[in-house]
């Protein structure tokens, strides 16, 4: 009898605790009903354990001034934003130009949403192959005279990682300021001893959201997924490549690695530098806040406006998702999208459907063989729905497609770190470049068209013929899509 009472008391206690934890989740997830239901489902099937999982993977950042900006700094940014917004609305100077006028609302939204200042004069080079990208990057690092600032989500201590470390160490020995920032989760294989020599020669290394005591990391779900490099404040890199030999296509599991990265010069480099400084100061707890960074004058005369747009769990607004939805809404003819994961929310899906119903052609390319099968099932669920609206969907089979690009009407494009899923829109720290330049947009479209030669087309007939087990997996993946 005593055992029955103990079991009953234990069961009732677990149920009451579950109810309390459910209430916590409901209040904490009030900005996203889909995520709340997904977490409640996990809590229902995994009592107590589900809440422990939630502690690590479900909590939001709540600090309104995450980057600890002073009143003077905030006032400075506000003045710059207001000045550009006023100039755009008045059609002054550089803003009185075709593409800027046509996409002025997109620019203003980014300015007011995430202080993404417009840089007018820029040169852009597109990389779609890892060897070319890293050969050029390491060559640029070797030419550095003042500073090298490097930030990657994943850095591996393999052959490519060693090449990067050697290049940074050589510059540090030459008296160049070297700063290296990496994510604790993405680069979990790195150890402090990997940087001993670099630090001995004046290099600085910081970890974004490091684990407490080297073991427990309650911020494991909020990863800094950004990949940027700024050299002497003159040359910048932004895109999808991380540091590892798989990104060179040298790992059999993935095969050829198809990605996109930009090398930029001009106004936009200063904006990339500013975004790096925010992450850098946060990671080192502002102990070197008075550090001097390079913001030199440049001599680029090519008029090619760009914005650097960021988003992260520190904000209630999903800036990059909103930017992409606005881009889709602005389309009149054709949209090209490449992404490794396509698991959007309802607002993004509705934008795609409205564009398709309006007669806009939409081409979407995802990996034919993904790195995460569960994500593939979720992607197929959403893409199958868009097939009914007339979207063209391609499955890339040459290797792994990791590019994160979108172009609209051969006029504007975005390239960066953002996948089309809840993780990138809401949970990760991400960064993208918005480019208002026909040459760049058309070159990205041409790359897409070339890639179709290595693709299968996902047709309505093929999708309808999938077996019931795939349909079941898709349904379950879609149910959990808000927290994938």
């Amino acid at each position: 009898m005593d055992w029955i009472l103990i079991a009953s008391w234990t069961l009732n206690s677990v149920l009451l605790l579950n109810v309390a934890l459910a209430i916590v989740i409901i209040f904490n997830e009030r900005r996203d009903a889909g995520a709340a239901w997904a977490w409640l489902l996990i809590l229902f099937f995994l009592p107590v354990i589900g809440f422990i999982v939630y502690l690590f993977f479900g909590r939001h950042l709540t600090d309104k001034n995450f980057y600890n900006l002073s009143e003077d700094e905030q006032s400075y940014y506000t003045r710059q934003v207001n000045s550009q917004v006023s100039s755009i609305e008045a059609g002054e100077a550089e803003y009185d130009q075709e593409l800027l006028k046509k996409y002025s609302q997109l620019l203003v939204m980014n300015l007011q949403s995430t202080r993404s200042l417009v840089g007018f004069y820029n040169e852009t080079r597109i990389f779609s192959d890892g060897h070319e990208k890293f050969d050029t990057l390491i060559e640029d690092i070797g030419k550095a005279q003042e500073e090298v600032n490097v930030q990657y989500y994943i850095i591996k201590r393999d052959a490519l990682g060693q090449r990067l470390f050697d290049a940074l160490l050589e510059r540090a020995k030459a008296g160049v300021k070297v700063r290296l920032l990496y994510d604790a989760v993405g680069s979990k294989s790195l150890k402090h001893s990997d940087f001993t020599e670099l630090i001995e020669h004046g290099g600085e290394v910081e970890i974004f959201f490091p684990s407490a005591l080297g073991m427990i990391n309650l911020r494991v779900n909020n990863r800094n997924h950004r990949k940027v490099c700024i050299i002497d404040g003159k040359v910048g890199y932004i895109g999808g490549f991380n540091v590892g030999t798989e990104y060179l296509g040298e790992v059999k599991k993935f095969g050829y690695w198809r990605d996109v990265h930009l090398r930029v010069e001009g106004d936009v480099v200063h904006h990339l530098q500013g975004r790096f400084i925010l992450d850098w100061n946060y990671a080192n707890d502002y102990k070197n806040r008075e550090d001097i960074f390079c913001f030199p004058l440049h001599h680029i005369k090519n008029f090619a406006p760009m914005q650097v747009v960021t988003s992260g769990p520190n904000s209630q607004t999903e800036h990059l998702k909103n930017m992409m939805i606005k881009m889709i809404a602005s389309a009149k003819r054709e949209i090209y999208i490449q992404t490794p994961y396509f698991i959007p929310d309802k607002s993004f899906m509705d934008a795609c459907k409205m564009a398709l119903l309006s007669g806009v052609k939409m081409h979407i390319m995802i990996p034919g063989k993904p790195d995460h099968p569960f994500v593939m099932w979720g992607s197929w669920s959403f893409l199958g729905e868009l097939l009914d609206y007339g979207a063209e969907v391609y499955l890339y089979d040459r290797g792994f497609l990791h590019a994160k690009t979108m172009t609209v009407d051969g006029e504007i494009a975005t390239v960066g770190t953002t996948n089309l899923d809840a993780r990138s829109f809401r949970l990760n720290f991400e960064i993208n470049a918005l480019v208002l330049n026909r040459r760049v947009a058309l070159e990205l479209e041409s790359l897409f068209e070339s890639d179709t030669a290595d693709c299968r087309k996902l047709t309505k007939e093929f999708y309808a013929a999938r077996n019931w087990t795939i349909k079941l997996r898709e349904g379950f993946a879609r149910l959990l899509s808000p927290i994938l």
Side-chain angles (χ1 to χ4, degrees):
M1 188 66 177
D2 288 342
W3 287 108
I4 295 175
L5 286 173
I6 292 172
S8 176
W9 181 87
T10 301
L11 179 61
N12 288 332
S13 297
V14 169
L15 291 174
L16 285 172
L17 181 59
N18 240 34
V19 170
L21 300 182
I23 291 172
V24 170
I25 289 176
I26 290 170
F27 277 100
N28 201 40
E29 292 287 349
R30 60 187 180 277
R31 68 174 174 168
D32 192 323
W37 279 111
W39 281 114
L40 289 172
L41 183 67
I42 289 175
L43 191 61
F44 176 79
F45 284 108
L46 298 170
V48 182
I49 295 174
F51 188 71
I52 295 173
V53 173
Y54 177 79
L55 284 177
F56 283 89
F57 293 96
R59 298 184 309 135
H60 293 304
L61 300 176
T62 57
D63 190 349
K64 291 183 179 179
N65 189 12
F66 180 81
Y67 287 111
N68 196 28
L69 296 177
S70 68
E71 289 186 11
D72 286 343
E73 288 170 322
Q74 294 193 57
S75 177
Y76 171 75
Y77 283 124
T78 299
R79 288 196 305 272
Q80 285 189 306
V81 167
N82 290 343
S83 175
Q84 286 206 340
V85 170
S86 297
S87 296
I88 290 173
E89 292 176 344
E92 296 175 0
E94 287 95 341
Y95 300 101
D96 188 20
Q97 191 264 0
E98 181 192 357
L99 289 185
L100 283 176
K101 291 166 71 173
K102 185 173 182 179
Y103 297 101
S104 62
Q105 289 186 343
L106 173 61
L107 297 176
V108 169
M109 185 190 75
N110 290 335
L111 275 162
Q112 298 189 139
S113 178
T114 183
R115 296 169 172 164
S116 299
L117 297 173
V118 182
F120 298 102
Y121 298 93
N122 303 287
E123 294 280 2
T124 304
R125 179 179 174 185
I126 300 171
F127 297 106
S128 60
D129 176 80
H131 286 281
E132 186 181 16
K133 181 257 176 173
F134 283 105
D135 286 348
T136 307
L137 172 63
I138 290 172
E139 181 181 345
D140 281 336
I141 290 173
K143 297 176 182 177
Q145 298 298 310
E146 301 292 334
E147 68 177 18
V148 180
N149 298 322
V150 178
Q151 177 178 6
Y152 279 99
Y153 172 60
I154 295 174
I155 302 177
K156 294 187 175 178
R157 197 66 190 259
D158 55 15
L160 179 59
Q162 190 61 51
R163 279 186 68 197
L164 176 63
F165 286 3
D166 289 345
L168 295 176
L169 178 60
E170 188 275 329
R171 287 293 81 198
K173 288 179 177 179
V176 173
K177 185 69 174 180
V178 174
R179 302 180 185 92
L180 177 63
L181 175 62
Y182 65 90
D183 182 78
V185 176
S187 302
K188 58 182 178 293
S189 63
L190 293 181
K191 305 182 295 294
H192 182 75
S193 58
D194 292 327
F195 309 104
T196 302
E197 193 173 4
L198 178 62
I199 293 171
E200 286 175 352
H201 287 87
E204 296 181 36
V205 180
E206 298 291 348
I207 308 172
F208 202 89
F209 283 160
S211 303
L213 303 177
M215 297 180 291
I216 300 172
N217 193 338
L218 292 178
R219 293 263 64 98
V220 67
N221 208 35
N222 298 134
R223 304 162 195 175
N224 198 313
H225 197 235
R226 296 167 185 165
K227 308 156 186 74
V228 300
C229 184
I230 307 99
I231 299 158
D232 288 343
K234 297 177 181 179
V235 176
Y237 285 79
I238 177 173
F241 283 102
N242 286 296
V243 180
T245 52
E246 65 263 43
Y247 301 95
L248 301 177
E250 296 177 1
V251 173
K252 186 176 180 181
K253 173 185 175 183
F254 297 106
Y256 180 74
W257 192 276
R258 173 65 173 82
D259 216 324
V260 172
H261 223 89
L262 302 182
R263 180 189 186 272
V264 293
E265 296 179 81
D267 296 337
V268 72
V269 179
H270 290 185
H271 303 159
L272 270 178
Q273 182 87 295
R275 298 292 178 162
F276 172 86
I277 291 170
L278 291 176
D279 281 351
W280 178 259
N281 286 341
Y282 179 86
N284 69 28
D285 202 25
Y286 309 99
K287 61 177 179 280
N288 295 323
R289 192 158 188 166
E290 302 306 316
D291 248 5
I292 296 175
F293 288 78
C294 293
F295 288 92
L297 295 175
H298 66 81
H299 305 287
I300 303 298
K301 303 298 183 184
N302 182 51
F303 189 77
M306 296 179 70
Q307 284 180 304
V308 175
V309 184
T310 57
S311 195
N314 57 304
S315 173
Q316 293 286 333
T317 303
E318 296 169 8
H319 305 294
L320 282 162
K321 183 190 78 172
N322 290 348
M323 181 190 77
M324 293 181 186
I325 288 175
K326 186 70 173 175
M327 290 176 68
I328 291 169
S330 70
K332 299 294 187 292
R333 300 188 306 276
E334 207 155 18
I335 300 167
Y336 288 83
I337 296 172
Q338 288 185 313
T339 179
Y341 315 121
F342 190 87
I343 310 178
D345 64 6
K346 187 177 185 301
S347 62
F348 195 96
M349 283 291 286
D350 285 345
C352 291
K353 292 174 185 177
M354 286 189 284
L356 289 163
L357 289 171
S358 301
V360 175
K361 295 179 180 179
M362 182 174 289
H363 315 272
I364 304 172
M365 189 180 295
I366 66 168
K369 183 182 178 183
D371 53 346
H372 303 296
F374 201 74
V375 173
M376 177 191 72
W377 302 325
S379 295
W380 276 46
S381 171
F382 290 99
L383 290 169
E385 193 174 337
L386 291 183
L387 287 174
D388 291 332
Y389 286 79
E392 292 189 345
V393 179
Y394 298 88
L395 308 176
Y396 184 80
D397 284 331
R398 183 182 175 189
F400 185 67
L401 178 73
H402 194 248
K404 307 147 197 311
T405 68
M406 179 190 296
T407 68
V408 171
D409 292 343
E411 295 180 334
I412 62 173
T414 184
V415 174
T417 66
T418 309
N419 299 311
L420 301 185
D421 59 11
R423 167 159 295 287
S424 277
F425 289 155
R426 190 169 60 248
L427 300 175
N428 285 348
F429 293 85
E430 304 283 3
I431 187 167
N432 271 50
L434 173 66
V435 187
L436 283 75
N437 183 276
R438 288 189 175 92
R439 180 194 66 79
V440 172
L442 290 173
E443 187 175 339
L444 289 169
E445 287 184 6
S446 179
L447 283 170
F448 185 109
E449 294 289 356
S450 297
D451 288 334
T452 60
D454 297 308
C455 291
R456 290 169 289 142
K457 205 164 183 181
L458 182 61
T459 63
K460 288 195 282 187
E461 294 75 19
F462 181 83
Y463 184 72
R466 70 201 192 286
N467 64 45
W468 69 271
T469 59
I470 297 296
K471 293 178 182 179
L472 182 64
R473 294 170 193 166
E474 282 184 19
F476 190 63
R478 184 163 184 145
L479 195 62
L480 295 180
S481 63
I483 59 174
L484 283 179

